[in-house]
């Protein structure tokens, strides 16, 4: 799987401001400030309603932030306001950060009057010594002066906003002369939200009548799959089906299927969940010589023959596959093979029930896999295993496994040294009744 590098979020401390509590909400103590005329004036407070606000970074709808500013007497309007997050964004490498200017979309209102959309500024800061970093900020609409100003701001954050983490934002209000008239903090916690459909995995299962069913990931591991959808009948014509690219909830993911006559067929993903596969295309005959077919993750395919030799078929634009390349022998030790949900290689279970990870090595003609890495034992309890794209909210691929009683279990992906992204050691129950299927992929 191609993974986008995340921005590094550095926490910034807003110094020299002592918080006090007003009715259980954090605010900043009033303090004198210089006006534009050079005289001292009291600075009002800002109080957040309801305390810290959790902002889902994902497909959820907007949440609403509310805070009230109390101004000193005699303030002349219009009053402008802004708040600045206590974090800043620094890219790992130029152009590597996934956070865009519209990572958060907001609509603003003051004292019940809607001012429509208000734009965020999301500056990226190269690591320059002795150069104070610019922080993400939001300019709020100007409003007539009043004793109190109540602000309502919707926050609709996409998945990349998770890099902002837990942050305090400094709120500043200024009068018509630019003098500071109120100050305080609000607390925002950017938490993992539902990934977009293109990041959520999907699992396919063929029942004993040959009907193919589709289970789309929800992004919630407590209920990982939505209600199943019927893809179509006739899939019992195939003796093997192998995903070439990971299936996702937006209807993407290619696969190949071998029929009883040994002919291999290619199904391209459409990007339409209601009809996820385009009409099949014939690849060629003679594929009955193989006992296992596995997608490598880059569109290429590996196939194990009856002698345990593994062969690689490189994906080609016009012919789908070029001449095969010998990978090596000894692959009959595995009783199950599946593509990793990360599209970065394959997983194999040996006869002792040990699961191994083969990370994808590189581009053709280099060998397809690096040296295998041990994931763990005890996997011979399962009658089917299938790697999937992310089913939770952690940006890691997962794996599902069916036991002899027909229960399906979910293993969330973890990152391990050398092995890369692999199934974790703990599992959670998806549900029972999966013995109705004779093929899960």
């Amino acid at each position: 799987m191609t993974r986008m590098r995340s921005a590094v979020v550095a926490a910034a401390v807003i110094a020299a401001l002592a918080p006090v509590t007003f009715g259980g909400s954090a605010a900043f103590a009033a303090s004198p400030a210089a006006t534009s005329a050079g005289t001292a004036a009291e600075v009002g407070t800002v109080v957040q309603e309801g305390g810290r606000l959790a902002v889902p970074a994902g497909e959820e709808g907007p949440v609403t932030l509310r805070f009230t500013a109390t101004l000193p007497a005699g303030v002349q309007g219009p009053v402008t306001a802004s708040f600045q997050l206590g974090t800043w964004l620094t890219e790992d490498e130029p152009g590597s950060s996934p956070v865009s200017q519209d990572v958060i979309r907001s609509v603003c209102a003051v004292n019940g009057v809607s001012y429509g959309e208000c734009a965020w500024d999301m500056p990226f800061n190269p690591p320059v010594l002795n150069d104070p970093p610019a922080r993400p900020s939001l300019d709020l609409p100007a409003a007539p002066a009043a004793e109190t100003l109540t602000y309502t701001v919707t926050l609709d954050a996409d998945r990349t906003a998770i890099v902002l983490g837990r942050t305090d934002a400094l709120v500043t209000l200024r009068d018509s002369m630019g003098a500071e008239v109120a100050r305080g903090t609000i607390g925002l916690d950017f938490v993992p939200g539902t990934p977009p459909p293109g990041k959520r995995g999907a699992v396919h299962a063929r029942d004993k009548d040959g009907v193919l069913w589709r289970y789309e990931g929800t992004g919630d591991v407590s209920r990982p799959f939505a209600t199943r959808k019927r893809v179509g009948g006739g899939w019992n014509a195939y003796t093997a089906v192998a995903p070439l690219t990971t299936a996702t909830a937006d209807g993407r993911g290619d696969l190949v299927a071998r029929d009883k006559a040994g002919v291999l067929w290619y199904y391209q993903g459409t990007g339409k969940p209601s009809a996820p596969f385009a009409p099949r295309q014939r690849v060629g005959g003679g594929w009955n010589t193989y006992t296992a077919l596995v997608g490598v993750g880059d569109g290429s395919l590996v196939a194990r023959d009856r002698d345990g030799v593994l062969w690689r078929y490189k994906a080609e634009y016009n012919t789908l596959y070029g001449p095969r390349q010998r990978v090596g022998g000894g692959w009959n030790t595995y009783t199950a093979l599946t593509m990793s949900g990360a599209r970065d290689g394959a997983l194999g279970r040996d006869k002792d029930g040990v699961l191994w990870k083969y990370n994808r090595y590189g581009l053709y003609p280099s060998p397809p896999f690096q040296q295998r890495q041990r994931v763990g034992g005890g996997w011979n309890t399962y009658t089917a295993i299938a790697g999937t794209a992310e089913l939770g909210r952690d940006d890691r691929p997962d794996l599902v496994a069916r036991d002899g009683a027909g229960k399906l279990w979910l293993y969330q992906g973890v990152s391990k040294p050398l092995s890369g992204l692999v199934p974790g050691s703990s599992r959670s129950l998806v549900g029972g009744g999966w013995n109705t299927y004779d093929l899960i992929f």
Side-chain angles (χ1 to χ4, degrees):
M1 174 186 296
T2 300
R3 296 187 296 274
M4 189 177 293
R5 295 173 64 88
S6 297
V8 175
V9 179
V13 179
I14 302 174
L17 297 173
V20 296
T21 301
F22 291 83
S25 298
F28 281 89
S31 59
T35 67
S36 55
T39 59
E42 289 297 310
V43 174
T45 59
V46 172
V47 178
Q48 181 176 359
E49 179 182 318
R52 302 189 67 87
L53 179 66
V55 183
E59 292 292 286
E60 288 80 357
V63 294
T64 302
L65 166 69
R66 294 182 176 88
F67 59 92
T68 299
T70 302
L71 307 184
V75 172
Q76 298 297 310
V79 175
T80 58
S82 66
F83 63 82
Q84 186 179 70
L85 300 186
T87 57
W88 61 85
L89 301 175
T90 301
E91 296 175 298
D92 290 343
E93 299 172 353
S96 67
S97 174
V99 178
S100 62
Q101 288 295 315
D102 60 354
V103 60
I104 308 173
R105 296 159 297 281
S106 293
V107 174
C108 302
V110 185
N111 282 354
V113 178
S114 177
Y115 290 84
E117 292 187 11
C118 41
W120 282 82
D121 181 25
M122 288 283 175
F124 297 121
N125 300 277
V128 178
L129 295 176
N130 303 319
D131 185 10
R135 299 179 177 89
S137 61
L138 177 68
D139 288 331
L140 300 169
E147 181 179 348
T148 60
L149 293 173
T150 300
Y151 291 86
T152 302
V153 181
T154 64
L155 301 169
D156 188 4
D158 71 20
R159 195 184 196 203
T160 62
I162 192 64
V163 300
L164 297 170
R166 179 182 173 92
T167 182
D168 291 327
L170 174 62
V171 182
T172 305
L173 282 75
R174 298 185 182 277
D175 64 14
S176 59
M177 302 298 291
E180 185 178 299
V181 293
R183 178 195 309 149
T185 56
I186 55 177
L188 300 175
D189 298 329
F190 290 90
V191 298
T194 302
K199 293 292 186 179
R200 300 197 303 266
V203 169
H204 295 90
R206 183 185 66 188
D207 67 23
K208 295 172 183 178
D209 294 325
V211 177
L212 190 67
W213 299 89
R214 177 178 173 85
Y215 289 84
E216 294 172 1
T218 64
D220 181 356
V221 293
S222 66
R223 49 173 194 88
F225 296 119
T227 303
R228 70 179 187 174
K229 298 178 180 178
R230 190 179 192 274
V231 176
W235 285 78
N236 51 4
Y238 299 118
T239 59
V241 179
L244 298 177
T245 56
T246 306
T248 50
D250 63 350
R252 300 189 184 279
D254 304 339
L255 60 82
V256 289
R258 180 190 61 199
D259 67 22
K260 296 173 183 178
V263 176
L264 193 69
W265 300 89
Y266 170 66
Y267 286 86
Q268 184 176 19
T270 63
K272 299 177 182 179
S274 60
F277 300 116
R280 67 182 188 176
Q281 302 175 45
R282 191 180 193 275
V283 178
W287 289 80
N288 268 346
T289 189
Y290 298 117
T291 60
L293 303 174
V294 182
V296 176
D298 60 355
S300 297
L301 184 69
V302 293
R304 180 187 63 193
D305 67 22
R306 292 183 177 86
D307 295 325
V309 176
L310 197 69
W311 300 87
R312 180 190 191 182
Y313 288 85
K314 177 180 177 289
E316 300 284 357
Y317 178 73
N318 292 324
T319 60
L320 289 179
Y321 295 112
R324 67 181 188 176
Q325 173 195 19
R326 190 180 193 276
V327 177
W331 286 78
N332 271 343
T333 189
Y334 297 111
T335 59
L337 290 166
T338 182
M339 184 176 70
S340 166
R343 296 194 300 179
D344 64 348
L347 295 164
R349 180 192 62 195
D350 67 22
K351 296 175 182 178
D352 295 323
V354 177
L355 192 68
W356 300 87
K357 169 73 181 293
Y358 284 87
N359 286 317
R360 185 154 55 92
Y361 187 80
L363 299 176
Y364 187 88
S366 62
F369 301 124
Q370 300 177 31
Q371 183 177 352
R372 70 178 187 175
Q373 302 293 329
R374 191 180 193 274
V375 176
W379 287 82
N380 49 7
T381 189
Y382 297 116
T383 59
I385 58 174
T388 76
E390 177 182 12
L391 295 176
R393 301 180 177 182
D394 57 5
D395 200 25
R396 291 172 178 166
D398 301 319
L399 180 142
V400 292
R402 181 189 62 196
D403 65 21
K407 294 179 180 178
L408 193 72
W409 299 89
L410 168 63
Y411 286 83
Q412 291 185 264
V414 298
S415 180
K416 289 185 177 181
L418 300 179
S419 301
L421 295 168
V422 297
S425 58
S426 62
R427 66 181 188 175
S428 59
L429 179 64
V430 176
W434 286 75
N435 269 345
T436 190
Y437 301 118
D438 62 8
L439 184 63
I440 299 172
F441 59 89

